């Protein structure tokens, strides 16, 4: 490759960390605004979806994690409005098809699973896909803001990026708790002895895991009804 051919070639260390030599600030600013519009709509979609996911959760820990992130997400919307202002633009959204698809998949998973551990794990799986999408999107927007010299915007975007990462970690912790509960119920079911009938013959017993799972589900339902 000649020296002429190498002009404008960029080497990706991270999202937009190195930019084409021919890209001017005006073009980059336009790209930045497009990223903000996408994020703005994505966060607003999430504000509408999180209450439904929290309501569908059986685990109190998961419900709390989703409700807490709802409040964070509202703050993220406010921060994006500040970033728009710093960029000299009006805060407007552009339909984020990526978030729309992720939330639709999550909604389908909730409808397909009965209330309980499997539904909770499906909610977590969908939630973590959403978090990873947002972490990537905020990382890109932050990198472009750095190139534009918008230091205050960089700080705001970095703060949200960190909170998205923390939310992802919290969902992992909740999932691990659910897996542990499943393992404990499974061990209990395997160790349960058979009962003898009146003639001394062993009779089949309902697996302890099913009983324990039903009790946990009933307890969760009672807690949620009491809270309401």
């Amino acid at each position: 490759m000649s020296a002429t051919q190498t002009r404008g070639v960029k080497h990706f260390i991270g999202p937009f960390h190195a930019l084409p030599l021919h890209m001017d600030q005006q073009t980059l600013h336009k790209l930045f605004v497009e990223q903000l519009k996408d994020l703005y709509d994505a966060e607003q979609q999430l504000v509408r979806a999180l209450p439904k996911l929290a309501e569908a959760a059986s685990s109190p820990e998961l419900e709390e994690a989703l409700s807490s992130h709802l409040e964070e997400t509202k703050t993220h919307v406010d921060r994006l409005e500040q970033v728009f202002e710093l960029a000299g633009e009006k805060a407007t959204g552009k339909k984020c098809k990526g978030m729309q698809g992720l939330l639709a998949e999550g909604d389908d998973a909730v409808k397909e699973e009965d209330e309980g551990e499997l539904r909770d794990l499906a909610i977590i799986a969908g939630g973590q896909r959403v978090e990873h999408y947002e972490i990537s999107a905020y990382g890109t927007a932050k990198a472009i803001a750095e190139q534009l010299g918008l230091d205050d915007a960089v700080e705001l975007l970095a703060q949200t990026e960190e909170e998205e990462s923390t939310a992802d970690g919290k969902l992992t912790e909740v999932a691990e708790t659910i897996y542990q509960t499943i393992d404990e119920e499974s061990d209990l079911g395997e160790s349960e002895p058979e009962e003898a009938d009146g003639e001394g013959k062993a009779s089949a017993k309902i697996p302890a895991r099913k009983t324990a799972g039903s009790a946990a589900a009933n307890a969760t339902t009672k807690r949620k009804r009491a809270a309401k």
Side-chain angles (χ1 to χ4, degrees):
M1 182 179 292
S2 68
T4 301
Q5 289 174 314
T6 58
R7 291 175 184 171
V9 174
K10 58 182 176 179
H11 175 65
F12 278 96
I13 299 173
F16 295 98
H17 283 186
L19 297 166
L21 298 178
H22 63 271
M23 182 175 286
D24 58 36
Q25 293 294 92
Q26 184 177 359
T27 303
L28 191 57
H29 179 85
K30 181 179 179 181
L31 176 61
F32 181 57
V33 173
E34 288 299 309
Q35 297 298 310
L36 293 181
K37 288 180 178 180
D38 185 85
L39 276 168
Y40 194 56
D41 182 74
E43 294 287 24
Q44 290 177 323
Q45 287 187 49
L46 199 53
V47 166
R48 295 191 294 269
L50 281 171
K52 299 176 184 177
L53 293 174
E55 176 65 24
S58 298
S59 162
E61 293 81 9
L62 178 56
E63 184 178 6
E64 170 60 27
L66 294 171
S67 298
S68 175
H69 193 53
L70 171 61
E71 297 308 311
E72 282 187 335
T73 303
K74 293 176 180 177
T75 301
H76 299 168
V77 173
D78 293 338
R79 283 200 198 118
L80 284 171
E81 291 174 352
Q82 294 178 55
V83 175
F84 271 109
E85 185 176 353
L86 291 168
E89 300 286 342
K90 181 180 178 181
T92 56
K94 179 180 179 181
K95 179 61 69 177
C96 179
K97 296 179 180 179
M99 180 62 75
Q100 187 177 37
L102 289 171
L103 292 176
E105 286 184 355
D107 186 55
D108 288 343
V110 168
K111 292 177 180 177
E112 291 170 3
E113 299 293 347
D114 293 332
E115 182 179 5
E117 293 158 344
L118 286 180
R119 179 190 285 182
D120 285 350
L121 291 173
I123 291 172
I124 291 171
Q128 291 195 295
R129 288 190 182 93
V130 167
E131 295 306 329
H132 292 185
Y133 179 88
E134 290 191 298
I135 290 167
S136 175
Y138 274 103
T140 295
K142 182 182 69 175
I144 299 175
E146 289 173 349
Q147 296 294 331
L148 291 171
L150 298 173
D151 295 339
D152 290 340
V154 170
E155 184 176 346
L156 290 169
L157 294 167
Q159 189 173 353
T160 298
E161 182 185 16
E162 179 62 27
E163 289 175 357
E164 301 290 10
S165 181
T166 300
D168 177 57
K170 179 61 178 178
L171 288 176
T172 296
E173 292 176 5
V174 175
E176 289 173 347
T177 299
I178 294 173
Y179 287 130
Q180 183 178 357
T181 300
I182 292 173
D183 288 341
E184 290 173 353
E185 291 174 353
S186 179
D187 291 342
L188 182 60
E190 291 173 359
S191 62
E192 192 71 29
E194 293 182 337
E195 290 183 346
D197 59 20
E199 299 178 356
K201 296 180 180 180
S203 59
K205 182 167 182 169
I206 298 175
R209 178 179 176 180
K210 183 176 180 181
T211 304
S214 299
N218 290 337
T220 300
T221 301
K222 290 178 180 179
R223 285 196 300 269
K224 294 181 75 172
R225 286 176 179 172
K228 293 178 181 179

